[in-house]
Amino acid sequence: MYALTADTSHIEEEGVHDAKLIEFEGFEDVSFFDPGIDYQRQQDVPRVFEFVGNLESAARLDHLFTAPMGWLLISRRMVRVLEAVGPFPHRLIPTVIYSERIEHLVRKGYPRKRTWYSVTDPALKNEDFVILQLLERTDCLDRERTLVKGVPFDQCGEEFLGQEEAEPLVLRPPPGGFPPVFSVPELVFYCYTEEARQACEQAGLKGLWWRPQP
């Protein structure tokens, strides 16, 4: 089982990201991690989420390092690869990434909100990425065999686990097996199967850092 983060080996300076969110009112409360919330229907958030970023990186990568929120910003191609491995209920939130060359035209003020400037030149934007939100959780954590600092999870006093915090992390396969990407109620990250990782590698996807979970 794997966690997934964006590969940042191409970024040489601290504080630099592939894409930065053009902020909007209430963006801090949008996590896309609760499968029961349709933010675009239930909250006043944009229909398309907008970023400013490095279009050269976006053209060659399939997973982008973003700020300030840790949303899963992946290419539509990666979504198709995961869907080919097996079904998983999900929602895709469309995005557009504008070139850093026109940041001063599309992002102003504090918070750094969107201006009314219309970007019509396709060379100045990328619309090939989406935010992935899973719509179900898989209740599969073995609370007795999953250990946190040697203590069973159901006795350690923790409510949630981050990447590599459990050793070992023990999951019980659900009937029919795991979907390629899934959410576990006690984990603050999405999990990916070996089949999903292999499919992404065979498809030549770039910018993915797979982190095996112990």
Side-chain angles (χ1 to χ4, degrees), residues 6 17-21 51 63-73:
H17 298 78
D18 293 315
K20 298 174 292 185
L21 177 70
F51 296 81
H63 189 343
L64 299 183
F65 182 44
T66 66
M69 308 294 289
W71 296 327
L72 184 55
L73 187 60

Side-chain angles (χ1 to χ4, degrees), residues 16-173:
V16 174
H17 298 78
D18 293 315
K20 298 174 292 185
L21 177 70
I22 297 179
E23 299 170 359
F24 53 86
E25 196 71 35
F27 76 92
E28 306 97 328
D29 300 322
V30 179
S31 71
F32 291 116
F33 208 71
D34 187 334
I37 300 179
D38 184 339
Y39 290 93
Q40 292 171 303
R41 288 183 178 272
Q42 297 172 241
Q43 298 186 20
D44 186 21
V45 302
R47 185 185 64 83
V48 177
F49 281 56
E50 298 173 299
F51 296 81
V52 170
N54 186 324
L55 294 192
E56 291 184 3
S57 294
R60 61 183 179 83
L61 299 176
D62 294 280
H63 189 343
L64 299 183
F65 182 44
T66 66
M69 308 294 289
W71 296 327
L72 184 55
L73 187 60
I74 61 177
S75 68
R76 295 180 185 274
R77 181 170 68 144
M78 181 172 173
V79 174
R80 292 193 295 269
V81 170
L82 292 173
E83 290 174 333
V85 177
F88 58 100
H90 60 279
R91 177 182 295 119
L92 301 178
I93 292 82
T95 74
V96 57
I97 304 169
Y98 300 115
S99 170
E100 293 169 325
R101 291 164 45 197
I102 58 171
E103 178 174 6
H104 64 291
L105 297 176
V106 299
R107 186 172 182 254
K108 289 185 178 181
Y110 185 83
R112 306 288 281 171
K113 293 186 177 182
R114 180 71 163 94
T115 69
W116 289 105
Y117 184 81
S118 178
V119 182
T120 57
D121 185 348
L124 296 176
K125 59 183 177 179
N126 181 308
E127 299 176 278
D128 294 333
F129 283 80
V130 292
I131 297 169
L132 176 66
Q133 180 185 15
L134 297 184
L135 299 182
E136 289 183 357
R137 286 187 171 135
T138 303
D139 187 7
C140 62
L141 182 70
D142 189 323
R143 291 171 162 262
E144 296 180 355
R145 297 169 60 202
T146 293
L147 303 182
V148 181
K149 297 180 180 178
V151 179
F153 179 76
D154 60 359
Q155 301 175 27
C156 73
E158 298 290 339
E159 186 177 359
F160 301 103
L161 291 174
Q163 297 181 19
E164 302 174 4
E165 288 185 357
E167 192 172 353
L169 174 67
V170 182
L171 303 180
R172 302 183 305 270

Side-chain angles (χ1 to χ4, degrees), residues 196-213:
R197 184 191 68 80
Q198 290 183 6
C200 290
E201 291 191 348
Q202 290 171 2
L205 302 189
K206 304 296 184 182
L208 285 64
W209 182 23
W210 301 98
R211 305 183 66 173
Q213 296 305 292

